[in-house]
Amino acid sequence: MIRKVQFYGAVSIDGCLATKDNRLDWLFKTAGANDAPTEAFMQQVDTAIMGRHTYEYTMEQTTDQLINPYNPATHNIVMTSHPHTGDERTQFTNTPVTKIVEDLRHTAGKNIWIVGGAGVLMPLLAADLVDELYIQIAPVILGDGIPLFKAIDQQQRFELVDTNRYGQLAEVHYQRLTTE
């Protein structure tokens, strides 16, 4: 059985994950943000892959153990250009994210959570390695910020699986279309 690779995260209407200075207060001020089914999603995953900035922000700002990738039930892989020794739950690496995911997909375990932004997500999309996108959209336009998506050489086609509303958050769940 191949493990699913799933992006799960929130963006502004204009597609930003955070402000230019990495703030998320706009998301936390969104009514219903705490109603999203994060706990149910987290029960499906046992590995989180993220960039160093996402990891550092999460460790500094998040007290909720449920959404903290440092949750004892989650193995964390942090992409960084300066790898260093981690601990039993966290690995810091500069191995290409596509190689990591290709290797992990064929090992035993739960699904793989892609956390954070384009630096991790875009190479995986380009390699057709993302199975599902869970994108929660907050009703705010930041005008300028850190985008979820960047340019890609080829189109990626997904199909809409479901939509949900959690207060003022709209969640879209997409699944990759497989070509046969």
Side-chain angles (χ1 to χ4, degrees):
M1 181 176 197
I2 295 179
R3 297 165 70 181
K4 285 185 186 176
V5 177
Q6 302 170 303
F7 171 83
Y8 181 91
V11 296
S12 61
I13 291 173
D14 52 348
C16 295
L17 289 166
T19 62
K20 278 289 185 191
D21 58 351
N22 290 310
R23 287 190 353 265
L24 293 176
D25 54 330
W26 57 272
L27 175 60
F28 300 131
K29 291 178 184 174
T30 302
N34 293 328
D35 298 334
T38 306
E39 182 175 358
F41 177 82
M42 291 301 296
Q43 290 175 3
Q44 300 175 40
V45 301
D46 64 2
T47 304
I49 301 175
M50 68 201 81
R52 181 183 55 83
H53 293 290
T54 299
Y55 175 78
E56 288 175 355
Y57 176 85
T58 303
M59 295 308 297
E60 292 171 7
Q61 303 294 323
T62 305
T63 58
D64 183 348
Q65 287 299 306
L66 178 61
I67 61 171
N68 187 330
Y70 205 66
N71 176 331
T74 306
H75 175 73
N76 302 294
I77 300 171
V78 180
M79 308 305 300
T80 178
S81 55
H82 303 289
H84 55 85
T85 304
D87 58 32
E88 67 278 353
R89 302 305 309 157
T90 303
Q91 166 189 352
F92 296 88
T93 183
N94 61 0
T95 301
V97 68
T98 52
K99 177 167 180 15
I100 291 169
V101 168
E102 287 169 348
D103 291 346
L104 284 173
R105 284 174 67 95
H106 299 286
T107 62
K110 295 182 178 182
N111 296 336
I112 302 163
W113 177 25
I114 305 305
V115 187
V120 175
L121 182 60
M122 295 312 296
L124 295 171
L125 283 171
D128 202 24
L129 291 172
V130 178
D131 299 301
E132 295 181 314
L133 301 166
Y134 290 85
I135 302 172
Q136 296 160 355
I137 304 164
V140 60
I141 296 173
L142 296 178
D144 193 17
I146 300 170
L148 174 58
F149 299 108
K150 292 191 177 178
I152 193 167
D153 291 336
Q154 73 278 355
Q155 289 185 0
Q156 295 289 308
R157 178 67 63 179
F158 288 79
E159 66 180 340
L160 181 64
V161 174
D162 203 1
T163 59
N164 292 291
R165 179 179 179 172
Y166 307 107
Q168 289 296 304
L169 281 182
E171 180 183 75
V172 288
H173 173 197
Y174 295 108
Q175 182 174 326
R176 177 174 45 109
L177 281 177
T178 55
T179 55
E180 316 225 346

